[in-house]
């Protein structure tokens, strides 16, 4: 996975969080439609049916201390606190009969809910 050139305040996530090609294509499509930069922020917040939940949003740029990874010109950014909870994860975009969504495969998650948007450690 090619990495975005990082300044001194950004960390590389090349071995920590992977953005799949399908997820990168979907982010690029959404960003283009909204006239925004192809930058996806993934954060972990308390809540959801399993204790923690994933939050996705388009962002303008990384903030200080964010970790950044890129694939096909799309950046994935994660704050340090969230990164501790999802290290080793893969972010994918999945389309099925039940709908389409970004999915996180998180090796640190001990359990998750049926919808795949929340987890516990």
């Amino acid at each position: 996975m090619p990495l975005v050139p990082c300044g001194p305040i950004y960390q590389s996530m090349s071995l920590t969080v992977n953005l799949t090609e399908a997820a990168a294509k979907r982010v690029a499509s959404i960003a283009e439609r909204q006239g925004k930069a192809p930058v996806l922020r993934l954060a972990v917040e308390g809540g959801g049916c399993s204790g923690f939940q994933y939050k996705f949003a388009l962002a303008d740029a990384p903030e200080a201390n964010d970790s950044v990874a890129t694939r096909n010109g799309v950046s994935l950014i994660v704050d340090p606190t969230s990164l501790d909870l999802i290290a080793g994860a893969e972010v994918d975009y999945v389309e099925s009969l039940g709908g389409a969504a970004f999915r996180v495969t998180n090796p640190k998650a001990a359990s998750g809910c049926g919808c795949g948007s929340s987890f516990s450690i």
Side-chain angles (χ1 to χ4, degrees):
M1 166 174 40
L3 296 176
V4 72
C6 297
I9 60 173
Y10 307 120
Q11 301 172 0
S12 161
M13 291 192 307
S14 62
L15 299 175
T16 306
V17 178
N18 182 41
L19 182 67
T20 67
E21 188 170 333
K25 284 180 181 179
R26 184 63 178 158
V27 172
S29 173
I30 293 168
E32 182 179 347
R33 201 170 44 244
Q34 294 185 11
K36 295 189 172 195
V39 179
L40 179 66
R41 174 170 292 283
L42 170 57
V44 176
E45 298 179 351
C49 50
S50 296
F52 293 104
Q53 58 188 349
Y54 303 110
K55 291 291 183 178
F56 294 96
L58 289 179
D60 293 324
E63 296 177 7
N65 299 321
D66 279 346
S67 293
V68 181
T70 64
R71 178 179 292 274
N72 301 336
V74 174
S75 295
L76 172 66
I77 56 178
V78 180
D79 65 272
T81 302
S82 297
L83 188 58
D84 286 343
L85 298 168
I86 61 170
E90 179 176 78
V91 178
D92 196 8
Y93 181 74
V94 179
E95 295 183 35
S96 68
L97 290 176
F102 288 102
R103 292 288 165 110
V104 179
T105 303
N106 184 353
K108 290 191 167 192
S111 64
C113 66
C115 67
S117 65
S118 68
F119 67 101
S120 66
I121 293 184

